[in-house]
Amino acid sequence: MATSKINPTIENSWKKALKNEFDATYFLEIKKFLTEKKQYIIYPPGNEIFNAYNLTPLNKVKVVIIGQDPYHGPSQAHGLCFSVRKGTRQPPSLINIFKEQVTDLGINYPTHGDLTPWATQGVLLLNATLTVTQHEANSHQNVGWQKFTDATIRTVSEQCKGVVFLLWGGFAKRKTKLIDTSKQHVLTSGHPSPLSANRGYWFGNKHFSQTNNILQKQDKQPINWQVE
């Protein structure tokens, strides 16, 4: 992967809001790291690293879902947390997300796992780490990406109002410190992974209906969670 692949080709509102991050030393170190890894397969592809940002401009953010790490298998990651490309087998956590939606909202279980329709409605699907080496989970977690994504969360908190943050699992819950809870809404639960969900920490949280209720009370358009 060439360094140019992660130059900030990113939607303009984010590019402006995060300019100081792109100019920071740590971001140059991220580019250097990825350049030095060019002999490896890295996910997602360079043009999709900022997919969450490009699909959900800053002024359109209604909901934020925080994941930890991109999927590290072939044809999975495409820059949206928990989401996989059409035609790719749905991972266990995503299956549990969909199961909760079916019981919470009474919608149909999706035939694929591409969450792009959520992103285009204002759901920022943000992984804390934006890249990963193939077959090596969490391999880029200490590269510097979390400084960038923490800045993203703070930016949403500072510049937007009435956003619903869905923090699933201990890792995501720790991001609460970045959020101004006096003007934002935070819903927490266990992680949708089988380990957590099967212990009773996920199913029944009704986060999807709760989110829409919060949005409607602000006269905002609710999210159509049905993935067609």
Side-chain angles (χ1 to χ4, degrees):
M1 175 183 289
T3 303
S4 60
K5 289 289 187 180
I6 69 155
N7 278 342
T9 304
I10 190 171
E11 190 274 332
N12 283 335
S13 64
W14 285 113
K15 188 172 184 178
K16 181 179 179 180
L18 297 172
K19 183 181 185 303
N20 289 341
E21 307 306 315
F22 289 120
D23 292 340
T25 300
Y26 82 84
F27 197 84
L28 298 178
E29 291 298 318
I30 294 174
K31 293 200 286 186
K32 179 181 178 183
F33 171 85
L34 292 176
T35 300
E36 291 171 350
K37 286 278 188 179
K38 63 184 178 181
Q39 70 271 33
Y40 298 94
I41 297 175
I42 292 175
Y43 298 128
N47 64 346
E48 292 182 328
I49 290 174
F50 298 114
N51 207 17
Y53 300 82
N54 291 330
L55 290 172
T56 313
L58 177 58
N59 65 337
K60 301 295 185 182
V61 176
K62 298 178 182 177
V63 182
V64 178
I65 299 177
I66 299 173
Q68 188 165 355
D69 198 46
Y71 296 120
H72 53 85
S75 301
Q76 290 184 307
H78 63 129
L80 305 176
C81 72
F82 294 106
S83 180
V84 292
R85 301 175 190 278
K86 288 183 179 179
T88 302
R89 184 178 181 181
Q90 295 173 6
S93 291
L94 184 57
I95 289 172
N96 286 337
I97 288 171
F98 287 154
K99 284 181 178 179
E100 174 60 23
Q101 287 188 311
V102 170
T103 57
D104 182 17
L105 302 171
I107 60 179
N108 296 324
Y109 190 95
T111 58
H112 63 83
D114 185 347
L115 303 182
T116 297
W118 295 5
T120 56
Q121 294 178 78
V123 182
L124 181 65
L125 295 165
L126 183 68
N127 272 317
T129 300
L130 297 185
T131 58
V132 68
T133 300
Q134 184 181 38
H135 302 316
E136 296 181 20
N138 297 313
S139 51
H140 297 186
Q141 66 175 343
N142 296 318
V143 173
W145 278 126
Q146 288 196 44
K147 292 181 181 179
F148 183 80
T149 55
D150 281 357
T152 299
I153 295 167
R154 282 194 299 267
T155 297
V156 172
S157 180
E158 291 167 2
Q159 297 193 24
C160 303
K161 186 177 181 180
V163 172
V164 184
F165 287 82
L166 302 181
L167 307 183
W168 300 336
F171 177 86
K173 289 175 186 177
R174 288 194 289 274
K175 302 299 182 180
T176 304
K177 63 186 178 184
L178 306 172
I179 302 165
D180 181 351
T181 55
S182 70
K183 65 176 183 177
Q184 314 299 352
H185 303 270
V186 175
L187 301 180
T188 64
S189 79
H191 196 275
S193 68
L195 182 63
S196 175
N198 293 339
R199 291 179 177 176
Y201 301 128
W202 166 256
F203 292 115
N205 65 34
K206 298 187 181 298
H207 276 189
F208 304 101
S209 60
Q210 286 190 63
T211 294
N212 279 351
N213 287 338
I214 292 169
L215 294 176
Q216 288 175 307
K217 286 178 180 178
Q218 301 177 73
D219 294 323
K220 294 182 180 180
Q221 184 72 24
I223 305 300
N224 176 8
W225 296 106
Q226 180 71 69
V227 175
E228 303 291 349

